[in-house]
Amino acid sequence: MRDAYHEELDLLTDKLVEMTRLVRSAISRATTALLDADLQLAESVISRDEEVNAIFTEIEASIFELMARQQPVAVDLRMVITALRMGTDLERMGDLAVHVAKVARLRHPDSAIPPELRPTILEMGQIAENLVTKAGSCVASRDVESALELEQDDDAMDRLHRRLFRNILAKDWQHGVEPAIDITLIGRYYERYADHAVRVAGDVVYLVTGARPS
């Protein structure tokens, strides 16, 4: 009976790792759609978000059933609580990738990104991918040391986010109000995506140590 119970807990981990893979693919494709004004790719990001939502629904159902049947305590209870938190963060990351894709769809056939900001957005997309990849690895391995590194890794995203604002507010900004709003929203989506990845890593630390990162 206990072996089956712990198999169910392990399955929760597997589902969380699968969510990290899906939201990594989503932000990667959303970034490409944004930079290349690729409507078909943007639509695929939007439509495939249902896969992320479906896994999160499975995780929620499994957790509620485990709580009712097994009444977990100690480390097992911590696992159940953190799985729900991680799933919530990952589901939100999928939504943020969709928001990026929707901006690409809205501005099609043009690109929402002015030429001089393309390198910054590309780098933000790459950092987002790296963060969620690392978070997924931490979830699978429960590697506290790597999980703690994500907070520092996120600093690069914050720097790029600030750079976008400096560009928008610069006196030589020539693209008008609408592109400035797009860039403001897009920058926020990437920054929040990264924050959720850091929170997932923080939950790994809590799961293993029982303490939140300071």
Side-chain angles (χ1 to χ4, degrees):
M1 186 71 176
R2 296 299 295 177
D3 286 345
Y5 169 49
H6 284 101
E7 284 178 8
E8 291 181 71
L9 292 177
D10 290 341
L11 185 59
L12 284 178
T13 298
D14 293 342
K15 289 180 178 179
L16 289 167
V17 172
E18 179 61 19
M19 285 185 78
T20 67
R21 295 192 185 107
L22 289 173
V23 300
R24 179 189 181 278
S25 173
I27 199 65
S28 175
R29 288 179 291 119
T31 301
T32 301
L34 188 65
L35 294 173
D36 295 350
D38 188 326
L39 180 59
Q40 184 175 356
L41 196 57
E43 294 287 6
S44 78
V45 174
I46 295 164
S47 63
R48 289 188 62 186
D49 188 51
E50 288 303 317
E51 295 178 40
V52 177
N53 296 339
I55 295 176
F56 181 52
T57 299
E58 292 174 6
I59 289 172
E60 282 187 310
S62 296
I63 286 171
F64 295 147
E65 185 176 352
L66 281 169
M67 292 286 284
R69 285 193 295 104
Q70 302 292 347
Q71 298 181 342
V73 295
V75 175
D76 289 347
L77 179 60
R78 206 153 68 221
M79 172 62 199
V80 169
I81 292 171
T82 55
L84 185 58
R85 286 173 54 95
M86 289 177 191
T88 301
D89 281 312
L90 290 164
E91 190 272 338
R92 183 57 183 153
M93 290 164 75
D95 290 343
L96 289 162
V98 167
H99 292 336
V100 173
K102 284 183 176 180
V103 175
R105 182 175 68 179
L106 180 65
R107 300 305 172 205
H108 183 268
D110 298 320
S111 173
I113 310 301
E116 68 271 24
L117 295 183
R118 290 175 64 85
T120 300
I121 296 299
L122 177 60
E123 189 174 355
M124 292 180 87
Q126 290 169 341
I127 291 171
E129 287 184 58
N130 290 338
L131 283 168
V132 72
T133 299
K134 195 168 186 177
S137 177
C138 292
V139 171
S141 65
R142 300 189 183 181
D143 185 338
V144 170
E145 185 175 345
S146 293
L148 289 170
E149 291 173 359
L150 258 78
E151 187 79 46
Q152 191 171 10
D153 295 342
D154 180 49
D155 291 344
M157 182 70 85
D158 293 335
R159 285 194 296 271
L160 293 173
H161 191 213
R162 290 192 294 270
R163 183 191 298 174
L164 286 181
F165 276 108
R166 287 196 299 271
N167 279 273
I168 293 168
L169 297 174
K171 292 181 180 179
D172 60 352
W173 177 258
Q174 300 176 351
H175 304 286
V177 174
E178 192 172 81
I181 293 172
D182 286 344
I183 295 299
T184 300
L185 291 173
I186 290 165
R188 181 61 172 164
Y189 298 151
Y190 281 107
E191 189 264 343
R192 289 300 298 149
Y193 184 101
D195 286 346
H196 283 290
V198 171
R199 285 179 51 164
V200 170
D203 280 331
V204 172
V205 176
Y206 173 68
L207 173 61
V208 175
T209 69
R212 296 283 175 194
S214 57

